[in-house]
Amino acid sequence: MSGNSTLVEHGAPEKLLAQRGLFAGPSQIVSEDLYAEISQGIADRERHRLVVHPHATVSLNTYFGRFPATYWQRWCVSPEVELSLTLTGSGTVSIVASDAEGETRTIVAEQVSGAKAQVVTMTAKIDKFTDGGALWFDVVTGEHELVVEHARWTVAPPKDVRPTAIVICTFNRVEDCLNTMASLASDSEPLGLVDAVYVVDQGSDPVESRERFAEVSAALGDKLRYIRQPNLGGAGGFTRGLYEVMEVDHAEHANVLFMDDDVLCEPEIVVRTTAFANRTAQPVIVGGQMLYLLHPNHLHVGAEYANLDTLAPGQVVEGALHDADLTGYDEETGKRNVQDRRVDAGYNGWWSCLIPSEIVKAIGYPLPLFFQWDDIEYGYRARAHGFATVTLPGAGVWHADFHWKDWDDWHRYFNLRNALVTSALHSQFDPKRICRSMAGQLATYLVGMQYGLAATQLKAIEDFLKGPEVLRDGGVQAAAEIRKLRAEYPETIKHPASEVPGISSGDLPLITAPPAPRLFAPVLAKRVVNQLLGRSVHDVGAVAAGDSAWWHVSLFNTAVVTDASQEGVRVRRRDRELAIRLGKQGTKLLKELYQRAPEMQRAYREAMDELTSRENWRRLYDL
């Protein structure tokens, strides 16, 4: 089942489906209020059908109900959008618009009486939304009920519709991957827009080994292309899809939609991202948004960027929603938590992200970074070549909450090393600012008794200084080495909270953190001195994950800290000699980084074309 799937050019339909009006989600854990809000009376919300009882009002001014008009006006060539609905019963349907400040206005309204499967169409111009605003429809009933079905937002089609391939990268998450595949297969309308579904399996526990794989494969039919390959990380898995697509016919103008294996998939994202990509004035990366899987009403971020000078990813673009309850309301304004103001992203995470083949042809393939910052680097490289990234509201999937993942993990190595690589490629790479930032991080790791995390950081710097050669194997050796290194540090190991090694539960009081210090530098310096002199405030104690900041943990001789995942605890024990050794090693490495930064920048920039070439990836795939 490996190999290519032919992408075919599609003739233009009469109308291009931009998004569907849905009234409930793909799973019972998802609130219907993300799709349709009952503001008065009673209504029954089904996936594709809305029954509004008498004297009721339902609004689609919701996360999945809104048509992101401001993004369509800014990036696309569609002057208007048409809403089509099939109505049975009596009531009024109106198209409502907002502006950048969230103020609303009614565009058009249609009233029906005694309708029987009557198709009603309304048109709205996409002409007053440059800075912000959206469109949606409201339904109001009087004495009788109104049933709404087959709600569709459509725009004028392009001459040819771009073929689309989905790429799912997976590594030993068999059930998650099968669930994502099944979700895509379950909805025929978005699946009909897809020519190929590449499942790139890099795990030792293959997806195809399960009985359920045959069932899901049958549902996807000849669209499925299942590929086994060695583990080259997310970069190697997703890039394999690009590699395959760029080899087939009609790949000059194609969409490649990345999809993480462990998301709760909303198949509608296929409709919305591909339609947007079909109508942009110039090719852009179209990013889907991430909602929290453990808290499904919450949006991760409306748009983000990376500070390449301080190696800080995930910075919130000014004006963007962040960790927002999408079914809630702003306390100050009383308005729904929706993204009215248009915000421009620096990059988009690859939990779900569409990359046009024209961009791949122009800028090359992703860097073989293995894991972390591959999406950031590619977004900034695209921007440097004139290709923007659009994080599209209303196009979302649910992914595990980031703040429930502990920072002290093996992946931190790739986060740091690849941040250095990306900064060297796409910023001024000021050694003073970068070394100051990394020195501050190292100091907090050491006073917080995270010696394994400090060693992880130093390994990242050391490997970065080896130059582009460290990327030649796609990260395979580095992944093995960092796990081995971290295993030497006891506090990197997670224990059950009921079985803390060497400590009785009765000797483990829970000690809460004081308020955060107003001035970090003097407090950090004081903590360093006290630890060198062997002073402490607490001998032993338990610390909640939310209280695990360095200024609190550094007061202990032994701190039992709850892991961010809430699945166990880490035992951090003070080790003065180890802290001194790691501190000296870090000082030496940071001095070397400071001195060699210009040399490293030149080396990585000179190697960029070769590392991102099709030939390099062919070598890594052993094809």
Side-chain angles (χ1 to χ4, degrees):
M1 200 175 295
S2 63
N4 298 323
S5 177
T6 303
L7 302 184
V8 298
E9 287 186 343
H10 301 271
E14 182 180 348
K15 300 174 183 177
L16 180 70
L17 176 63
Q19 71 179 56
R20 299 178 296 177
L22 303 173
F23 310 110
S27 166
Q28 293 301 311
I29 72 167
V30 174
S31 171
E32 294 167 342
D33 287 341
L34 288 171
Y35 292 81
E37 182 184 42
I38 304 170
S39 52
Q40 179 180 318
I42 300 172
D44 302 323
R45 293 167 289 186
E46 303 171 13
R47 179 74 166 159
H48 300 284
R49 185 171 182 265
L50 175 69
V51 180
V52 186
H53 292 242
H55 304 292
T57 300
V58 176
S59 177
L60 273 289
N61 184 22
T62 60
Y63 179 77
F64 287 107
R66 292 159 58 93
F67 178 83
T70 180
Y71 290 82
W72 276 82
Q73 181 169 345
R74 168 63 181 87
W75 299 105
C76 299
V77 294
S78 301
E80 63 182 22
V81 60
E82 181 182 278
L83 172 65
S84 172
L85 315 98
T86 300
L87 305 178
T88 299
S90 302
T92 301
V93 178
S94 55
I95 295 181
V96 183
S98 64
D99 60 21
E101 303 304 320
E103 298 299 322
T104 64
R105 62 188 186 276
T106 299
I107 302 295
V108 62
E110 289 284 345
Q111 186 174 28
V112 296
S113 180
K116 295 182 179 179
Q118 179 179 337
V119 176
V120 172
T121 59
M122 295 178 280
T123 300
K125 292 187 180 299
I126 307 175
D127 62 350
K128 298 185 188 307
F129 301 96
T130 300
D131 289 336
L135 294 163
W136 64 89
F137 67 89
D138 290 342
V139 183
V140 179
T141 57
E143 297 295 326
H144 305 282
E145 76 172 24
L146 181 64
V147 178
V148 182
E149 297 173 287
H150 205 71
R152 300 289 185 269
W153 297 87
T154 58
V155 295
K159 180 180 178 182
D160 296 299
V161 174
R162 303 165 60 87
T164 295
I166 293 176
V167 182
I168 302 171
C169 170
T170 187
F171 176 80
N172 289 349
R173 286 181 173 143
V174 176
E175 292 304 317
D176 288 338
C177 184
L178 286 170
N179 289 340
T180 300
M181 294 167 64
S183 179
L184 291 169
S186 69
D187 199 330
S188 60
E189 197 162 14
L191 185 62
L193 303 175
V194 176
D195 290 294
V197 178
Y198 291 95
V199 176
V200 183
D201 191 344
Q202 304 185 124
S204 56
D205 182 13
V207 176
E208 65 180 345
S209 67
R210 301 298 197 273
E211 290 185 10
R212 187 180 168 206
F213 180 78
E215 173 189 339
V216 176
S217 297
L220 290 172
D222 59 5
K223 296 178 187 290
L224 178 62
R225 289 295 177 269
Y226 179 73
I227 299 172
R228 295 282 307 280
Q229 69 181 30
N231 183 22
L232 292 168
F238 284 126
T239 301
R240 182 61 184 270
L242 292 176
Y243 183 95
E244 297 290 331
V245 168
M246 296 299 288
E247 194 169 74
V248 303
D249 296 336
H250 309 303
E252 290 291 312
H253 307 286
N255 301 322
V256 185
L257 178 58
F258 292 171
M259 189 78 68
D260 263 354
D261 58 350
D262 59 344
V263 297
L264 171 57
C265 179
E266 169 52 271
E268 176 68 10
I269 196 170
V270 177
V271 176
R272 300 187 183 190
T273 57
T274 59
F276 195 85
N278 266 292
R279 294 275 67 194
T280 54
Q282 302 293 333
V284 301
I285 295 175
V286 186
Q289 295 186 333
M290 172 183 149
L291 291 81
Y292 290 143
L293 186 59
L294 296 176
H295 303 86
N297 291 348
H298 284 251
L299 175 72
H300 169 50
V301 63
E304 59 187 332
Y305 69 98
N307 187 329
L308 300 183
D309 293 323
T310 60
L311 311 182
Q315 304 300 295
V316 180
V317 173
E318 183 178 356
L321 291 175
H322 176 236
D323 192 20
D325 181 356
L326 297 169
T327 62
Y329 291 80
D330 185 278
E331 293 182 0
E332 294 184 3
T333 65
K335 295 176 181 177
R336 189 69 174 267
N337 287 334
V338 290
Q339 188 72 59
D340 275 311
R341 178 180 169 186
R342 180 176 56 80
V343 288
D344 295 335
Y347 69 93
N348 200 94
W350 283 354
W351 46 75
S352 189
C353 187
L354 184 151
I355 299 178
S357 59
E358 294 94 327
I359 295 181
V360 182
K361 185 177 181 181
I363 75 172
Y365 291 86
L367 272 173
L369 295 175
F370 191 82
F371 186 58
Q372 300 280 330
W373 280 74
D374 43 1
D375 45 12
I376 301 175
E377 189 282 321
Y378 203 76
Y380 278 96
R381 191 180 351 145
R383 178 177 289 269
H385 285 77
F387 300 106
T389 293
V390 177
T391 297
L392 189 64
V397 296
W398 289 267
H399 186 281
D401 307 25
F402 280 165
H403 54 271
W404 281 56
K405 294 182 177 181
D406 205 282
W407 195 240
D408 188 357
D409 203 349
W410 66 271
H411 64 73
R412 180 65 174 138
Y413 162 84
F414 287 102
N415 189 291
L416 290 165
R417 189 202 69 180
N418 297 344
L420 285 166
V421 173
T422 303
S423 182
L425 291 170
H426 302 299
S427 79
Q428 293 183 351
F429 202 55
D430 180 358
K432 186 175 182 179
R433 294 188 66 180
I434 287 172
C435 289
R436 183 192 299 131
S437 174
M438 300 198 83
Q441 288 178 2
L442 177 61
T444 62
Y445 297 159
L446 293 176
V447 299
M449 300 178 288
Q450 293 179 288
Y451 306 117
L453 185 54
T456 301
Q457 180 190 32
L458 299 183
K459 170 70 171 169
I461 299 171
E462 184 179 19
D463 284 359
F464 170 76
L465 290 169
K466 293 177 182 177
E469 284 300 317
V470 76
L471 304 179
R472 295 295 176 188
D473 71 343
V476 176
Q477 183 177 346
E481 288 179 351
I482 194 59
R483 285 186 169 92
K484 183 179 179 181
L485 174 67
R486 288 179 54 82
E488 299 173 7
Y489 296 88
E491 85 282 353
T492 65
I493 300 170
K494 189 164 54 182
H495 306 278
S498 58
E499 300 176 20
V500 182
I503 303 174
S504 170
S505 296
D507 297 330
L508 202 56
L510 181 63
I511 301 176
T512 57
R518 286 185 297 175
L519 299 175
F520 285 92
V523 174
L524 180 58
K526 183 178 178 181
R527 296 287 195 273
V528 170
V529 171
N530 285 340
Q531 290 198 355
L532 291 174
L533 295 175
R535 299 170 183 166
S536 65
V537 176
H538 310 291
D539 181 40
V540 62
V543 177
D547 285 342
S548 63
W550 60 265
W551 60 81
H552 181 48
V553 177
S554 57
L555 299 174
F556 293 76
N557 283 325
T558 300
V560 179
V561 181
T562 302
D563 191 81
S565 68
Q566 297 291 314
E567 295 174 352
V569 297
R570 315 271 192 110
V571 183
R572 304 190 201 173
R573 290 186 170 91
R574 187 177 297 186
D575 189 326
R576 180 177 178 274
E577 286 68 31
L578 180 57
I580 292 173
R581 178 170 65 81
L582 289 169
K584 288 180 177 179
Q585 182 186 351
T587 301
K588 181 181 178 181
L589 275 172
L590 287 171
K591 182 179 179 181
E592 183 181 355
L593 175 61
Y594 184 88
Q595 293 172 339
R596 297 181 60 200
E599 170 197 342
M600 289 295 99
Q601 186 174 42
R602 285 193 300 272
Y604 280 99
R605 289 186 174 183
E606 288 172 359
M608 166 71 90
D609 288 346
E610 191 276 326
L611 287 171
T612 61
S613 68
R614 184 174 180 85
E615 292 71 25
N616 188 49
W617 280 106
R618 181 185 295 120
R619 177 185 62 82
L620 288 168
Y621 295 137
D622 193 25
L623 296 176

